[in-house]
Amino acid sequence: MNTRLLSLRHLSLFTWLMAITLLSVSLVLAFVGFSNRLMFKRVLLRSQDNMFTALMRASMEEIEAHCNNVEEAINQNALEYKDKSFHTRARTVQLLDKCLQSHELLCGAEVIFTESAPEDPNRDFTALYVYQQGPESILLERDAAQDRQEPWYQLPILNKSPVWSEPYIDSGSQKLMITYSIPLMDEQGNPYVILTGDIALDWLDSMLKDLPVGDSGEPILLSAQQRFLVCGNKDYVLKESLPSLAESCTCPEDKATFERVSQTITTAESGRLRFKYPGTKEPVWCYFNRHPEIGLTLACVLPEKRVHNAIANMTRWIPLFGLIGLMLMAVPAWGIARSVARPLSKLRVAAAQIAQGNFQVPLPPAASNGEISSLISSFDKMRIDLSRYVDDLTETTAARERLAVSLRVAHDIQLGMVPKDFSAGMEHNIDLYATMKPAQEVGGDLYDFAFFDKDRFYFCIGDVSGKGVPASLFMAVGKTLLKSLFHSMNDPGEAMTAVNRELIQYNPDGTSFITALAGYFCPRTGDLVCAYAGHNPPVVLRKGVKPEYLRVKPGLPLAIVPDYTYVNEHFHLDPGDALFLYTDGVTEAMNPEGECYGEENLLAALEKNWRSGVQPCTQAVLEQVQNWANGSVQSDDITMLMFVNNNETSATGK
């Protein structure tokens, strides 16, 4: 081993360059091939997910549409049967014939009176059944005592509402059937007659066979009790279910798989899951959609090897192309290695000493070859430049440290400009809290609040375009103007209009603007009036109501149009109601996948946490936003302001 390592160390520079070049090219080609394979797999899986999720949804919608049409037809006939004149045999047969003709899927219908049905001199039967046989309708007088034992009779009586039965094999036609039963109630609210409609499910079998699952895929139809209605194994039909298969498994892994699939299909109406197929242990994907009312679950089981086979077909030529590319790269690699190895071998010693920091080392004398002379001159210039660079780097490092100190001071000054004392709101029965987290040392967000008098609690929040020092300077001007003009005026719209006119003077080139929301809140009456300048709408939180965004006319941002007029928006906060204001750094925070935190996540976070208090709620939202980012660089400043009206005298808004 030592002899082999020693021989490798003494390989020529030319050999090393050739080996490294070809090895690098090989690794790049291998990486490209591996990356392509992963990309193809991701694309194919996404395509498969989209296709079969939509396919399951569309198929279930088709089933639901058919069943809804059947329900509507039977319900319509049931309304007519509430007329007691229909209770004769002739009128009942006429109604059942009409019911069968109302929808092509209906193959049978029955009217059966309950044991508690009141006496009716017009009624001359107990149970009549009409079924379709070719173009003719066949009438049967059923054994009422026997039919009353069937689930399709007992369930609507128990629930006192229409129900779909569990699928079953019809004894006469030997077809897979499902029955829709609707009870009619007497004046006391008790069922006195049941009207049913039977549907043969053979059309479902045909529909499943048309699904594009290929030779290796398998469509499956399950009942509400997860019994197999349609599947590849005919012995399972109406004899086995997912729970029974799990119970009969001797392999713990297979049993756990059946139980997981059964639980997932029971708890979710649609979705997908990946598992190893019991017995074969082959990875498969299962896409399913369940209709909770009808009780049918439609699923497709697809082996994962479908994707692998497709990837193999797409990438089978990549190794050959890589080998050809490697062979073609060997020719220029040989030329490059030869042209570089010779001059470098002569300068190796000098270069090693320069690399150690000895800039005063003398270079070898220039040879007659012009290329070598140029290389030696370059090394000499590099030595001088490196010496200067070390000196400049020392000075630059010191300057950067001074700049960092200045930015930290600017950061502290900026944070010092926004109010931090939230206890003042308690004197006016307002719980108040705010936080600001710049994306850089200094940022362009702003918030402010103040009690101008006992009936004017001033609040504002804003976001300056851009980030960094320019945005922070424009923010300071905007914050000062907002507070000053809102203090001197009683109308937020007029005050915002005046702020806009003033800011235009500080923005002659039109490169900056401010989105803002500012207004007054009267704790005594609960009235809130504010003006919007293109800012995000706030969230209002009320007791017993889900959080919602206030519907406002946002207006244009400040410092864009000189003569723009802003209008007032009026709202009311009852005792216990809260208002949450924020900048777009909250909703537009991105995770590593480039997905925004979004308005729906913000509503969910506020709904969960707002009753815990303004500070815990605000900190919880900030923590969820940071967890969403999951280490990604903060893309924008984050600012939040929240207050709660605790004044009981403002309940009526007077």
Side-chain angles (χ1 to χ4, degrees):
M1 178 66 70
N2 293 336
T3 304
R4 183 177 300 175
L5 290 176
L6 186 62
S7 62
L8 290 176
R9 291 173 184 173
H10 286 81
L11 289 176
S12 65
L13 182 59
F14 171 80
T15 304
W16 273 110
L17 286 175
M18 282 290 295
I20 291 174
T21 302
L22 295 179
L23 179 60
S24 300
V25 172
S26 300
L27 291 176
V28 170
L29 292 175
F31 175 76
V32 170
F34 181 73
S35 300
N36 285 338
R37 186 175 182 87
L38 290 180
M39 181 188 67
F40 290 152
K41 181 177 181 180
R42 189 178 299 112
V43 170
L44 290 174
L45 283 177
R46 187 183 300 114
S47 175
Q48 177 178 282
D49 288 347
N50 294 337
M51 174 182 176
F52 280 93
T53 299
L55 191 62
M56 293 297 99
R57 186 187 305 114
S59 299
M60 185 53 71
E61 288 176 354
E62 182 179 353
I63 295 174
E64 182 181 2
H66 284 307
C67 292
N68 287 343
N69 291 337
V70 170
E71 289 182 11
E72 183 178 354
I74 297 176
N75 291 342
Q76 184 63 35
N77 287 280
L79 290 176
E80 297 182 15
Y81 206 70
K82 287 186 176 181
D83 184 354
K84 292 187 178 181
S85 65
F86 275 90
H87 293 180
T88 65
R89 178 186 299 269
R91 296 295 298 276
T92 299
V93 172
Q94 180 183 2
L95 179 73
L96 292 177
D97 283 335
K98 178 182 176 182
C99 184
L100 289 183
Q101 300 302 322
S102 63
H103 199 280
E104 60 182 3
L105 289 183
L106 283 169
C107 58
E110 181 172 353
V111 169
I112 179 172
F113 285 87
T114 65
E115 295 176 334
S116 59
E119 294 293 334
D120 185 353
N122 294 326
R123 190 175 74 236
D124 53 357
F125 71 95
T126 303
L128 288 180
Y129 179 72
V130 174
Y131 66 95
Q132 200 76 26
Q133 187 173 15
E136 298 181 356
S137 298
I138 308 301
L139 173 65
L140 290 179
E141 183 150 2
R142 303 282 296 180
D143 183 351
Q146 180 178 352
D147 285 354
R148 287 168 181 162
Q149 305 301 317
E150 298 295 334
W152 55 259
Y153 172 85
Q154 296 179 354
L155 287 176
I157 292 181
L158 179 64
N159 298 330
K160 295 185 177 181
S161 63
V163 296
W164 284 95
S165 73
E166 182 78 4
Y168 60 92
I169 297 294
D170 182 64
S171 59
S173 63
Q174 296 301 310
K175 291 183 178 181
L176 185 62
M177 307 280 284
I178 187 171
T179 298
Y180 177 71
S181 305
I182 177 171
L184 298 182
M185 305 297 180
D186 58 20
E187 296 178 353
Q188 288 74 33
N190 297 318
Y192 71 90
V193 66
I194 306 295
L195 180 62
T196 72
D198 299 336
I199 305 176
L201 298 182
D202 47 0
W203 60 278
L204 278 179
D205 193 16
S206 301
M207 185 183 73
L208 293 182
K209 290 180 180 178
D210 293 336
L211 294 178
V213 297
D215 297 335
S216 55
E218 181 181 355
I220 296 175
L221 185 65
L222 300 174
S223 70
Q225 298 177 0
Q226 297 187 356
R227 291 193 302 166
F228 290 94
L229 305 179
V230 177
C231 65
N233 192 339
K234 300 299 182 181
D235 295 335
Y236 283 2
V237 175
L238 291 179
K239 298 178 182 178
E240 294 287 355
S241 64
L242 289 177
S244 68
L245 291 178
E247 185 177 353
S248 62
C249 279
T250 57
C251 174
E253 183 179 353
D254 291 348
K255 182 176 182 180
T257 298
F258 279 123
E259 291 175 347
R260 181 167 70 92
V261 174
S262 175
Q263 182 180 7
T264 303
I265 293 178
T266 301
T267 56
E269 291 188 9
S270 63
R272 63 162 190 170
L273 63 158
R274 181 183 182 274
F275 56 91
K276 292 184 178 180
Y277 200 85
T280 63
K281 306 301 181 184
E282 179 184 1
V284 296
W285 288 93
C286 177
Y287 300 87
F288 67 91
N289 197 298
R290 177 173 60 87
H291 195 288
E293 295 180 2
I294 303 174
L296 297 179
T297 299
L298 181 62
C300 277
V301 178
L302 305 172
E304 197 170 80
K305 67 180 181 181
R306 283 166 46 103
V307 175
H308 295 160
N309 292 340
I311 294 174
N313 291 333
M314 297 171 66
T315 60
R316 58 182 175 179
W317 295 108
I318 290 180
L320 178 59
F321 292 151
L323 180 60
I324 294 174
L326 185 63
M327 294 173 63
L328 294 176
M329 280 298 300
V331 177
W334 180 85
I336 294 172
R338 183 176 178 82
S339 63
V340 173
R342 287 184 176 182
L344 286 182
S345 63
K346 296 181 179 181
L347 294 175
R348 178 174 55 86
V349 176
Q353 294 186 31
I354 292 176
Q356 294 174 0
N358 184 10
F359 302 118
Q360 305 302 322
V361 62
L363 295 178
S368 58
N369 192 320
E371 188 177 10
I372 299 299
S373 298
S374 177
L375 186 59
I376 293 175
S377 299
S378 298
F379 264 82
D380 188 41
K381 185 178 183 303
M382 180 190 68
R383 179 183 61 178
I384 297 173
D385 291 345
L386 282 175
S387 179
R388 292 176 180 173
Y389 175 75
V390 170
D391 295 337
D392 293 344
L393 182 61
T394 302
E395 183 178 352
T396 302
T397 302
R400 287 183 177 179
E401 290 179 355
R402 291 193 296 270
L403 178 60
V405 172
S406 299
L407 287 176
R408 285 195 294 271
V409 173
H411 174 79
D412 295 339
I413 293 174
Q414 183 185 22
L415 293 183
M417 293 177 63
V418 296
K420 297 291 196 308
D421 184 8
F422 308 112
S423 60
M426 300 179 62
E427 301 177 5
H428 302 270
N429 296 316
I430 293 178
D431 287 342
L432 175 66
Y433 186 75
T435 183
M436 184 167 67
K437 189 175 186 296
Q440 300 179 2
E441 288 291 338
V442 289
D445 278 7
L446 64 96
Y447 76 84
D448 202 358
F449 59 84
F451 289 91
F452 292 157
D453 51 55
K454 64 179 181 179
D455 286 339
R456 277 202 310 165
F457 167 60
Y458 162 74
F459 62 90
C460 80
I461 191 167
D463 185 2
V464 181
S465 59
K467 297 183 287 294
V469 175
S472 68
L473 294 176
F474 203 54
M475 179 275 284
V477 175
K479 175 182 176 298
T480 303
L481 287 173
L482 281 166
K483 189 169 186 178
S484 175
L485 292 175
F486 268 74
H487 185 271
S488 61
M489 298 181 178
N490 290 324
D491 187 284
E494 294 180 0
M496 191 70 80
T497 303
V499 172
N500 182 59
R501 286 196 300 267
E502 292 293 330
L503 278 177
I504 289 289
Q505 303 176 19
Y506 296 94
N507 189 31
D509 56 357
T511 57
S512 299
F513 61 85
I514 300 177
T515 66
L517 185 160
Y520 308 120
F521 173 66
C522 178
R524 181 175 55 83
T525 64
D527 292 331
L528 186 148
V529 57
C530 54
Y532 287 79
H535 198 74
N536 305 78
V539 180
V540 63
L541 306 115
R542 306 182 190 275
K543 293 181 179 179
V545 180
K546 288 185 176 293
E548 61 179 356
Y549 293 95
L550 289 180
R551 297 181 178 178
V552 298
K553 299 177 181 178
L556 291 179
L558 298 171
I560 294 182
V561 178
D563 299 327
Y564 188 79
T565 300
Y566 295 88
V567 298
N568 291 330
E569 298 282 352
H570 296 270
F571 304 98
H572 183 80
L573 296 182
D574 289 332
D577 291 352
L579 195 68
F580 181 86
L581 301 89
Y582 62 96
T583 60
D584 56 9
V586 176
T587 54
E588 295 179 5
M590 292 188 179
N591 60 13
E593 289 74 28
E595 300 169 335
C596 290
Y597 181 70
E599 296 179 349
E600 294 301 324
N601 284 333
L602 176 58
L603 289 180
L606 291 173
E607 182 178 11
K608 180 180 179 182
N609 297 285
W610 79 278
R611 295 176 184 83
S612 62
V614 290
Q615 181 174 358
C617 177
T618 306
Q619 294 296 335
V621 172
L622 179 60
E623 181 179 353
Q624 290 197 20
V625 171
Q626 292 173 334
N627 291 339
W628 176 269
N630 194 22
S632 298
V633 177
Q634 183 178 336
S635 59
D636 201 356
D637 306 327
I638 296 176
T639 302
M640 293 176 281
L641 171 65
M642 182 177 180
F643 65 88
V644 180
N645 176 22
N646 288 329
N647 196 320
E648 296 296 334
T649 62
S650 61
T652 62
K654 296 181 179 179

